Amino acid sequence: MAKQQDTKKLFEDLSGAGKSIGVLTSGGDAQGMNAAVRAVVRMGIYVGAKVYFIHEGYQGMVDGGDNIEEASWESVSSMLQVGGTVIGSARCKEFRSHEGRLKAAHQLVLRGITNLCVIGGDGSLTGANLFREEWSGLLEELVQQGLIDEEAAQNNSELHIVGMVGSIDNDFCGTDMTIGTDSALHRIIEVVDAIMTTAQSHQRTFVLEVMGRHCGYLALVSALACGADWVLIPEMPPEDGWEEHMCQKLSENRADKKRLNIIIVAEGAIDCHNKPITTNHIKELVVSCLGFDTRVTILGHVQRGGTPSAFDRILASRMGVEAVLALLEASDSTPACVVSLCGNQAVRLPLMECVQMVSAYVSLIFCRSFENNLNTYKLLSYHKADSELPNSSFNVAVLNVGAPAAGMNAAVRSAVRVGIKEGHKMFAVNDGFEGFYNGQIKEITWGDVAGWTGQGGSILGTKRTLPAKHLDKIAEQIRIHNINALLVIGGFEAILGVIELSAAREKYNDFCVPMVMVPATVSNNIQDSDLSIGADTALNAITYTCDRIKQSASGTKRRVFIIETMGGYCGYLASVGGLAAGADTVYIYEEPFDIRDLQSNVEHLTEKMKTGIQRGLVLRNENSNENFTTDFIYQLYSEEGKGVFDCRKNVLGHMQQGGAPSPFDRNFGTKIAAKAIQWISRKLKESYKDGKVFANTEDTACLLGMRRRTMAFQPVVQLKDETDFAHRIPKEQWWLKLHPLMKILAKYKTSYDVSDSGQLEPVTRVRPKKAD
């Protein structure tokens, strides 16, 4: 309680009254920049500051005039879903000179702007830091030239700068993801998925070039997300003879009846002699050596375009709010910082430490997320001959349990291939625990899972059946197939199933084997895991659907849409989807509401409509309240909004579970399943004694989840006290801290918990272990 009171006091102390904030986008554009601008403007206004658009980046700051314009709440409406940057971006040679920075300083002093939020790449942020360092000297020059007086110089004596990295290349040290990267991956994967259908029809090889300058992140992650045969990135120049190795692998894949080959090339790819590797060179190589029908596709600027993904909108909104908080807390002793993301947590890093690492070209292979992606791709890309594999003689079964979630198939593919590389025999169980006790179990090979990464749903089949009533039959099947370990991929039923199996160890020795559960559910309601496979795909489905629904009202009279989302009693999809879609109100079970709240929300929307807002969006979690149903809320809004707005309702339903998995879900499913199998291998070795596996300790039946910055294993028996089993939700949910953020950006007055806000910390580098 004391901490909450301190938190609220801190937020109240961070008043922006009398302060002015300038926001600009600079350098190349990136999807999600508009969401960041919107968040800065609305959070700035919320705390009482004046916020100014600086159009056309640093060029607009130098030129001044109409390029620097005060922003209003309404001026950032309807920009959340727009790609690029609506305030413009331009490269400015003049700002690189002392004279240009002097002009820019004059323009800012004229408007009293002493806080800058810069959204751009390393060049833009370097320029901002230099501007800050020169600020006092620039003010002295302006006074000497008679352009400002001493009082103005005194009132504007300190310039505070906070940066946000907007770049599709993800080439900035200190952050896992930059604004725009996830959207660029969406564009790439959309193209790759489309190409794979035509390539498969004609048995073709496609060579794709993706952007990234000197960083291979987009190429590497897209290769991981689509299961590409070969990837070339600047961080890992291939050794001499790579051409023969690549052609040999392509030939082997065709011999295994794979009808297509995908080769992904980063635009900055080089060989070990620092010579560029071009797509045309690769095409000529494949045609001359193998005679394969080969096509080249250069994606180009399509990767920068289109609507930002849900992840980028949420990331940019969180970072925009964090940037305003950082500016309000800044003093003359705090260095310029960049707001970034590490795991699932906002962090503030010294701007110049990050820039120096990039400018010195410290390879991004030293960044944790890049290293993890690279190691996972290596693990999955090459199929060793049987004679090269370790002989563990262990049998590992994998099954899907619960409702289908996009990304399940990517996780199964990863588990099967990593298991085979570890020397295990992998067995697939069809239709969850129901298939298990019916004996629907068969060995699954490396080639069986080819092409699974981009498939939605569950190819293995999945059921909600729990094992408790069929323990005898499941134990019998474990004996018949000599199953030594279990990997269960699924939602709440999966965690219940693992708990039931581990509890049955006292009666059945057959269940004394290592078992691990990987969370896969659109509801994202698994305790001790911040994210679940499938939730990102569902969020994108909700976000894009809301975009289309709102667009349907374009040109009509004022209209409010009531949208029902899935999630059971968990409000994750509604709340976080509302943040991504720009909802005005979200109703969730975790935040009880009554008729007075409903009436207040209607009145709030009515006032906004009177100020010129044309569309309203209300999201309701399906089980938020048994009496205040979607129909009830629709009828209430329709009645109370008469004369001001009309209403429409939409129940999104199972479309949230369908479709191809997003790049994030493919990547997350692939990496978390690989980690689960490696854990199983360790536990099998530890528990193998006297010619058999016997594992009955708490730490041999675990959930593998992502918590903040790391993936961690948690014994399932320890989850009982942390879970509300009646409503199938964790007792504590991290994303509830984002719910007030959605309210603030929708113009509600609310208390905002800043206890988990980013704190300035040093930039760290993770050096990878030497790969085999």
Side-chain angles (χ1 to χ4, degrees):
M1 181 64 71
K3 183 178 180 181
Q4 290 180 346
Q5 290 172 347
D6 291 344
T7 294
K8 291 181 180 178
K9 185 176 185 299
L10 175 61
F11 184 65
E12 290 165 1
D13 289 344
L14 293 177
S15 171
K19 296 189 177 183
S20 295
I21 301 172
V23 57
L24 69 147
T25 53
S26 180
D29 65 303
Q31 308 98 316
M33 279 184 164
N34 290 323
V37 171
R38 172 180 177 268
V40 170
V41 169
R42 293 196 166 177
M43 188 63 178
I45 293 173
Y46 182 84
V47 297
K50 283 187 176 181
V51 186
Y52 290 85
F53 292 136
I54 301 177
H55 295 278
E56 310 305 332
Y58 286 117
Q59 188 66 57
M61 192 189 299
V62 171
D63 295 339
D66 293 339
N67 289 306
I68 304 178
E69 170 196 10
E70 186 173 355
S72 66
W73 194 277
E74 290 74 25
S75 63
V76 292
S77 295
S78 301
M79 66 187 293
L80 187 62
Q81 68 270 26
V82 179
T85 166
V86 298
I87 61 174
S89 179
R91 304 189 188 277
C92 180
K93 290 184 179 179
E94 195 172 358
F95 188 77
R96 297 177 185 175
S97 68
H98 182 78
E99 293 75 14
R101 292 191 291 275
L102 186 66
K103 289 181 183 179
H106 185 214
Q107 296 299 333
L108 295 187
V109 172
L110 289 177
R111 294 162 179 83
I113 300 173
T114 55
N115 298 277
L116 278 181
C117 183
V118 181
I119 308 166
D122 57 294
S124 303
L125 300 181
T126 302
N129 190 70
L130 177 61
F131 192 41
R132 180 180 188 261
E133 291 176 346
E134 293 182 346
W135 184 254
S136 58
L138 295 172
L139 293 187
E140 289 178 9
E141 286 188 56
L142 292 173
V143 171
Q144 292 170 2
Q145 295 178 19
L147 295 174
I148 63 172
D149 56 28
E150 290 284 356
E151 183 181 359
Q154 186 65 32
N155 292 338
N156 298 277
S157 59
E158 294 180 12
L159 178 67
H160 303 300
I161 289 174
V162 172
M164 284 184 279
V165 188
S167 168
I168 68 167
D169 302 330
N170 204 34
D171 57 353
F172 198 82
C173 285
T175 182
D176 288 348
M177 291 283 274
T178 58
I179 297 169
T181 302
D182 187 68
S183 299
L185 285 171
H186 273 257
R187 301 294 91 79
I188 295 169
I189 293 304
E190 286 165 6
V191 172
V192 173
D193 284 351
I195 280 175
M196 289 178 78
T197 57
T198 181
Q200 201 161 24
S201 299
H202 298 278
Q203 294 197 58
R204 281 180 176 152
T205 297
F206 267 87
V207 184
L208 282 80
E209 180 184 288
V210 302
M211 297 176 85
R213 294 196 302 174
H214 303 296
C215 177
Y217 184 88
L218 288 179
L220 175 60
V221 176
S222 57
L224 193 60
C226 71
D229 298 89
W230 201 267
V231 63
L232 292 155
I233 57 176
E235 290 84 357
M236 292 286 288
E239 298 179 357
D240 289 335
W242 66 270
E243 295 94 339
E244 290 78 10
H245 288 306
M246 183 186 73
C247 290
Q248 181 182 356
K249 182 179 180 184
L250 297 179
S251 179
E252 289 172 354
N253 286 346
R254 284 292 176 91
D256 287 339
K257 298 182 180 180
K258 186 176 180 181
R259 295 180 58 85
L260 75 155
N261 301 113
I262 300 290
I263 303 169
I264 296 182
V265 187
E267 63 179 346
I270 54 174
D271 63 18
C272 58
H273 303 291
N274 212 33
K275 181 181 177 182
I277 299 175
T278 66
T279 52
N280 284 331
H281 170 63
I282 294 173
K283 176 185 176 182
E284 293 169 2
L285 187 68
V286 174
V287 171
S288 62
C289 294
L290 301 174
F292 290 172
D293 185 6
T294 307
R295 299 289 188 272
V296 170
T297 299
I298 298 176
L299 298 188
H301 283 74
V302 69
Q303 296 158 86
R304 290 191 185 277
T307 299
S309 67
F311 181 93
D312 271 328
R313 299 186 201 192
I314 296 162
L315 171 65
S317 297
R318 291 180 67 185
M319 297 303 100
V321 169
E322 187 70 32
V324 172
L325 294 177
L327 286 171
L328 297 181
E329 293 175 353
S331 66
D332 57 352
S333 62
T334 56
C337 73
V338 59
V339 177
S340 62
L341 182 76
C342 188
N344 196 35
Q345 190 173 13
V347 295
R348 302 176 193 172
L349 303 171
L351 189 152
M352 286 314 296
E353 282 190 35
C354 297
V355 169
Q356 285 163 5
M357 289 179 71
V358 176
S359 60
Y361 197 59
V362 177
S363 175
L364 289 181
I365 194 173
F366 295 133
C367 293
R368 183 185 59 180
S369 63
F370 194 99
E371 177 199 356
N372 289 341
N373 287 315
L374 183 60
N375 289 341
T376 306
Y377 181 79
K378 287 179 178 178
L379 198 61
L380 296 172
S381 61
Y382 179 61
H383 184 197
K384 293 181 179 179
D386 291 343
S387 59
E388 299 178 272
L389 294 172
N391 184 18
S392 73
S393 70
F394 292 123
N395 295 342
V396 180
V398 56
L399 63 157
N400 294 337
V401 176
M408 276 183 164
N409 297 321
V412 172
R413 169 186 176 270
S414 175
V416 168
R417 292 195 168 182
V418 173
I420 291 171
K421 273 209 165 182
E422 296 277 312
H424 309 317
K425 278 188 177 181
M426 299 301 297
F427 287 81
V429 181
N430 295 109
D431 296 334
F433 288 116
E434 185 174 315
F436 209 142
Y437 69 73
N438 284 327
Q440 296 174 234
I441 305 168
K442 64 177 181 179
E443 186 176 353
I444 188 167
T445 66
W446 185 281
D448 291 336
V449 293
W452 280 31
T453 308
Q455 298 294 315
S458 168
I459 295 175
L460 290 184
T462 181
K463 295 286 181 67
R464 296 179 182 272
T465 308
L466 294 176
K469 296 180 180 179
H470 310 281
L471 294 175
D472 287 334
K473 292 182 179 179
I474 293 175
E476 181 184 359
Q477 292 299 326
I478 288 178
R479 289 193 297 274
I480 290 172
H481 296 278
N482 191 28
I483 301 299
N484 305 119
L486 291 177
L487 170 60
V488 183
I489 302 169
F492 209 86
E493 288 85 0
I495 199 70
L496 291 174
V498 174
I499 289 174
E500 290 178 0
L501 291 180
S502 62
R505 284 172 167 176
E506 295 180 2
K507 184 177 180 182
Y508 300 90
N509 284 340
D510 305 282
F511 299 136
C512 292
V513 297
M515 54 184 79
V516 60
M517 180 255 180
V518 167
T521 167
V522 301
S523 302
N524 200 35
N525 61 336
I526 302 301
Q527 178 64 42
D528 262 38
S529 186
D530 291 348
L531 295 172
S532 300
I533 299 167
D536 184 71
T537 304
L539 275 179
N540 279 286
I542 292 167
T543 303
Y544 294 148
T545 303
C546 288
D547 287 349
R548 294 184 179 95
I549 287 173
K550 289 194 294 184
Q551 191 177 39
S552 71
S554 180
T556 66
K557 61 182 180 179
R558 299 183 184 95
R559 181 164 289 169
V560 173
F561 296 95
I562 316 294
I563 311 294
E564 181 184 299
T565 67
M566 296 179 77
Y569 287 95
C570 180
Y572 175 82
L573 289 180
S575 191
V576 181
L579 179 60
D584 296 276
T585 307
V586 171
Y587 298 114
I588 58 175
Y589 170 78
E590 293 87 348
E591 188 175 83
F593 57 95
D594 57 26
I595 193 66
R596 290 179 292 274
D597 296 312
L598 291 168
Q599 183 63 36
S600 175
N601 296 151
V602 174
E603 292 170 357
H604 181 81
L605 254 178
T606 301
E607 289 302 313
K608 288 178 69 173
M609 292 289 183
K610 289 178 179 177
T611 63
I613 303 294
Q614 293 295 314
R615 285 160 287 181
L617 182 65
V618 176
L619 267 61
R620 177 189 175 273
N621 172 242
E622 59 183 348
N623 288 340
S624 56
N625 188 292
E626 63 178 338
N627 295 313
F628 300 136
T629 62
T630 301
D631 284 335
F632 179 89
I633 293 173
Y634 163 71
Q635 291 168 8
L636 176 66
Y637 273 71
S638 297
E639 180 63 28
E640 296 297 317
K642 281 183 178 178
V644 180
F645 59 81
D646 64 2
C647 278
R648 296 290 186 274
K649 66 175 178 178
N650 195 301
V651 178
L652 300 186
H654 285 79
M655 63 169 290
Q656 297 158 83
Q657 288 182 327
S662 68
F664 181 92
D665 278 330
R666 300 183 195 199
N667 194 359
F668 182 49
T670 297
K671 288 193 288 187
I672 196 170
K675 192 173 184 70
I677 290 294
Q678 290 169 333
W679 176 89
I680 282 176
S681 296
R682 290 195 301 272
K683 293 299 179 182
L684 284 170
K685 291 176 183 177
E686 293 171 6
S687 57
Y688 185 71
K689 294 177 182 178
D690 300 325
K692 65 178 182 178
V693 174
F694 186 81
N696 67 343
T697 56
E698 286 187 2
D699 65 345
T700 57
C702 286
L703 161 73
L704 173 56
M706 193 184 96
R707 297 302 304 272
R708 291 180 176 265
R709 305 185 186 187
T710 59
M711 290 186 189
F713 292 90
Q714 178 81 358
V716 292
V717 296
Q718 296 178 13
L719 302 180
K720 293 180 179 179
D721 295 334
E722 304 170 4
T723 305
D724 177 356
F725 285 95
H727 297 99
R728 298 190 166 209
I729 55 175
K731 291 181 179 178
E732 291 187 12
Q733 304 188 77
W734 68 271
W735 55 266
L736 283 173
K737 293 182 179 180
L738 301 182
H739 196 67
L741 179 59
M742 185 278 301
K743 288 187 172 183
I744 288 171
L745 298 179
K747 214 173 184 178
Y748 283 91
K749 287 295 180 183
T750 184
S751 61
Y752 180 54
D753 184 357
V754 296
S755 62
D756 200 33
S757 64
Q759 301 299 318
L760 195 65
E761 53 186 72
V763 183
T764 57
R765 248 183 339 188
V766 179
R767 292 185 178 272
K769 298 175 183 177
K770 286 187 177 181
D772 292 336

